Amino acid sequence: MKRRIIISVASFVCISFWSCTKQLNQQPIATILATNFWKTANDAASGNAAIYAGLQNTFSNTFTEWGDARSDNFTNGGTGENQVNVSINGLDASTVASADWGNLYNTIDRCNLAIKYLPNTCYFDSVQANKISRGSLLNYQAQALTVRAFMYFWAVRLWGDVPVRLIPIESQDSIRPLGRSNQDSVVANVINSDLSLALYDMQQISPQPRNPYFVSQGAILAIQAEVAMWQASRAIKLGNSPTQYYQNAINYTNKIMHLGQYNLVSDPTVYKDAFVSEATAENIWSLDWNFILDGKNGIGTKLGSTGNTSNYVIDTSTDFFHGYWMTNPTKLASGYTDIRQNIIYDNVTYASGTIPKAVWKYYPIDPNTGVPVVPPREQNQVRLPFYRYADIYLMQAEASNALGDTATALKNVRAVRNRAQAGPIVTSAYNNFTTIDALGVNSDVRNAILDERQLELFGEGKRWFDLLRNNTANTGYMLITLMDRYVKARQKKLNLTPTGFSGLQASKLLWPISRTALIDADGPNETYPIVQNYPYSN
């Protein structure tokens, strides 16, 4: 049964959208009375803009660290304590800024406000000035529900059990911290429920919204597919059957394909536009950015520095790098030029013997030099890609292989490679594509899929979660086994004892909860204190 949104109007309550920035030319609200807000089309649009400003606040300085920097994609570019600790898995509650979930929960609260008050907005009369149509109201409700689910999905993957708040903070009395809820319960009862409601709302709208900078039906289905993949992994780790979750992922990805709205783009120029303008047939959902309106995107400091050293640089010692870029690469088909090869990172700098500073895929090409133009940090406005069509193909490939359907899995991988003009899969880089193990999975096909995901989705916030999702007993604990080598090498380079992912370090898969969150939850009258993740100390 679908959870109903209860309409409730608070009297003279101050709604605060902390530090909102202008988003898509729509001014979000600042501080205003609930009784005077959520009445008009402009109010609803401003509330929606505030939600997207919250996404920008959340991901500006964390997108890389949460999704890529702890993996084999990157290593530390400088000697700053934060970036070194992230790259060697030396996380702790006080020194790693990205352990703070404050912006994420602020975004959730903005969603909670919209979900509570949008049903009270005047609608059903699109003719009168400043009245919102029913379709627009349903769209805004779907945006709020989807973003809230998306935030909680990031939260459970980063911290495991997390606090859940589904009503807005509207007074000092309602700020009381909450204890942590079981992560699997959060996925089943909050994330999936919100996404189902959002999809229902979105499906009532005609014509269907298709703007890659906002939630759409395709975006909701993409999140549902990735959530199902995560649930399958959790089922395996808990000793349960993952079959239904993998089938759910296949069903969701099939629905996206049947929408007929997306394609794999093959022209190199258009493929580049998937990251620069984000307005191709491949883009499902991206976070828009304009440095003049929104301020800089912090990814410029993380991966796109020009005059400065990037916090993180591509790790050129890994199997991934050697497989695609070194002399005689082991995974690049002979006679083919993969269009992804020369747009992923700064290969001009690397060719001159210097560590590459920037991930080039996010920046436009200078027609005079043929290389991307990386802006100063303060002008960085990379549009962060949350979901692309290639991601959908490869998610479906992974789920299909997990259910023993290697034919579909390999067909999807080949489709992505053909789009990239990459040629056939280099089978000599793997053992065989025919043997199914005792669990019904072809491990070599799985490895080929994950390799393709790493190359295709490089720097897009996916790699760490791909490894974490596959860090199960039947993969030989892939993440720990792989990263142990690279973390030891990074530690040696820093003249540190090479502990790698052994001992307690192997338990540091989740992020620590920041000192700020722990202090907030430790008041004298607190009944449900936040307990730190093992093995971190407070």
Side-chain angles (χ1 to χ4, degrees):
M1 187 177 201
K2 289 185 173 64
R3 187 172 72 248
R4 292 183 179 274
I5 299 175
I6 306 299
I7 301 175
S8 175
V9 181
S11 299
F12 302 102
V13 174
C14 179
I15 303 176
S16 186
F17 285 102
W18 304 264
S19 305
C20 296
T21 58
K22 194 171 181 181
Q23 169 71 8
L24 297 179
N25 299 319
Q26 174 61 53
Q27 182 62 50
I29 61 177
T31 301
I32 111 186
L33 294 177
T35 50
N36 296 328
F37 199 70
W38 303 106
K39 302 296 185 184
T40 68
N42 284 342
D43 294 346
S46 293
N48 193 59
I51 289 172
Y52 278 83
L55 282 173
Q56 291 175 328
N57 293 340
T58 299
F59 288 115
S60 176
N61 292 302
T62 61
F63 188 71
T64 298
E65 292 181 342
W66 285 351
D68 280 297
R70 297 180 68 189
S71 76
D72 53 337
N73 279 353
F74 298 110
T75 186
N76 57 292
T79 57
E81 183 178 24
N82 186 84
Q83 63 217 52
V84 168
N85 282 338
V86 170
S87 67
I88 64 172
N89 204 39
L91 308 181
D92 63 68
S94 60
T95 63
V96 180
S98 292
D100 189 354
W101 61 31
N103 284 328
L104 184 147
Y105 274 96
N106 283 344
T107 304
I108 288 173
D109 196 59
R110 299 177 189 199
C111 296
N112 289 341
L113 282 162
I115 291 166
K116 177 178 179 178
Y117 287 109
L118 274 170
N120 195 49
T121 306
C122 295
Y123 68 99
F124 293 120
D125 187 356
S126 57
V127 178
Q128 295 181 27
N130 215 17
K131 295 295 180 67
I132 190 170
S133 68
R134 182 173 183 273
S136 293
L137 177 62
L138 291 171
N139 189 8
Y140 288 138
Q141 285 187 160
Q143 303 287 322
L145 286 162
T146 302
V147 172
R148 183 169 75 176
F150 192 54
M151 291 291 89
Y152 276 121
F153 184 43
W154 277 84
V156 297
R157 291 182 296 168
L158 293 167
W159 293 285
D161 298 347
V162 294
V164 171
R165 188 184 295 276
L166 302 179
I167 58 174
I169 297 173
E170 300 182 87
S171 69
Q172 201 64 25
D173 293 336
S174 63
I175 298 180
R176 180 174 174 272
L178 303 172
R180 299 170 72 184
S181 296
N182 175 270
Q183 60 178 301
D184 299 306
S185 175
V186 175
V187 172
N189 299 317
V190 178
I191 297 172
N192 283 338
S193 179
D194 276 356
L195 292 173
S196 294
L197 281 170
L199 186 61
Y200 178 81
D201 283 347
M202 194 64 75
Q203 288 172 335
Q204 309 311 304
I205 304 170
S206 181
Q208 278 288 300
R210 174 67 177 94
N211 184 329
Y213 303 132
F214 289 108
V215 167
S216 63
Q217 190 174 168
I220 298 169
L221 290 166
I223 302 172
Q224 287 180 312
E226 192 171 25
V227 169
M229 295 296 292
W230 185 258
Q231 287 182 290
S233 170
R234 289 289 300 164
I236 293 171
K237 292 170 184 177
L238 296 172
N240 301 322
S241 171
T243 300
Q244 186 57 58
Y245 298 119
Y246 283 129
Q247 188 58 57
N248 289 345
I250 291 171
N251 293 341
Y252 292 133
T253 52
N254 276 334
K255 288 180 180 178
I256 295 171
M257 293 173 180
H258 294 156
L259 289 175
Q261 297 179 353
Y262 309 104
N263 289 299
L264 295 172
V265 296
S266 57
D267 181 273
T269 302
V270 178
Y271 181 72
K272 180 71 173 175
D273 287 341
F275 310 103
V276 176
S277 70
E278 304 282 353
T280 74
E282 178 139 346
N283 297 106
I284 297 176
W285 187 29
S286 302
L287 185 58
D288 192 28
W289 217 290
N290 183 310
F291 79 88
I292 296 175
L293 302 177
D294 308 316
K296 68 176 182 180
N297 186 340
I299 199 172
T301 301
K302 306 298 180 182
L303 300 178
S305 294
T306 49
N308 306 86
T309 301
S310 294
N311 287 174
Y312 304 100
V313 295
I314 189 170
D315 191 336
T316 56
S317 70
T318 62
D319 293 341
F320 167 68
F321 191 82
H322 284 254
Y324 293 103
W325 283 284
M326 300 298 285
T327 304
N328 300 318
T330 57
K331 295 178 181 177
L332 186 65
S334 177
Y336 289 86
T337 302
D338 192 320
I339 65 174
R340 299 168 296 190
Q341 230 190 336
N342 295 324
I343 73 165
I344 285 182
Y345 77 102
D346 179 355
N347 52 41
V348 171
T349 299
Y350 185 71
S352 68
T354 305
I355 294 175
K357 295 180 179 180
V359 173
W360 270 1
K361 70 193 302 181
Y362 289 128
Y363 305 105
I365 300 290
D366 183 337
N368 297 317
T369 63
V371 301
V373 179
V374 182
R377 288 182 176 184
E378 296 302 318
Q379 296 179 13
N380 192 287
Q381 53 186 17
V382 166
R383 297 175 173 93
L384 301 178
F386 291 147
Y387 292 99
R388 290 193 292 116
Y389 201 41
D391 189 3
I392 304 308
Y393 262 76
L394 295 173
M395 267 198 279
Q396 186 180 87
E398 189 177 341
S400 296
N401 183 60
L403 295 182
D405 184 2
T406 57
T408 296
L410 290 172
K411 180 188 69 146
N412 283 16
V413 173
R414 291 185 183 112
V416 174
R417 291 181 64 82
N418 289 342
R419 180 283 304 280
Q421 303 171 22
I425 300 170
V426 182
T427 55
S428 61
Y430 307 94
N431 291 325
N432 70 80
F433 283 167
T434 57
T435 302
I436 304 295
D437 65 22
L439 295 174
V441 178
N442 185 301
S443 58
D444 285 298
V445 172
R446 179 192 59 230
N447 292 339
I449 293 166
L450 292 176
D451 285 348
E452 198 65 31
R453 284 184 62 83
Q454 186 174 19
L455 179 61
E456 175 66 33
L457 305 172
F458 186 84
E460 296 181 41
K462 302 289 184 178
R463 179 59 175 173
W464 173 258
F465 297 121
D466 283 354
L467 293 175
L468 187 58
R469 189 177 63 248
N470 283 280
N471 190 53
T472 58
N474 58 307
T475 69
Y477 296 102
M478 175 183 291
L479 186 155
I480 294 173
T481 302
L482 178 72
M483 292 307 301
D484 186 61
R485 285 188 292 143
Y486 300 135
V487 169
K488 284 178 178 175
R490 295 167 189 173
Q491 290 170 326
K492 287 180 180 178
K493 189 174 179 180
L494 294 164
N495 295 317
L496 300 173
T497 302
T499 56
F501 255 88
S502 61
L504 286 181
Q505 294 300 106
S507 300
K508 291 186 175 182
L509 299 180
L510 295 174
W511 280 72
I513 298 169
S514 71
R515 182 70 56 80
T516 301
L518 293 170
I519 292 173
D520 287 347
D522 198 27
N525 299 317
E526 181 52 58
T527 307
Y528 305 102
I530 297 292
V531 178
Q532 180 62 277
N533 279 329
Y534 178 82
Y536 304 105
S537 62
N538 293 344

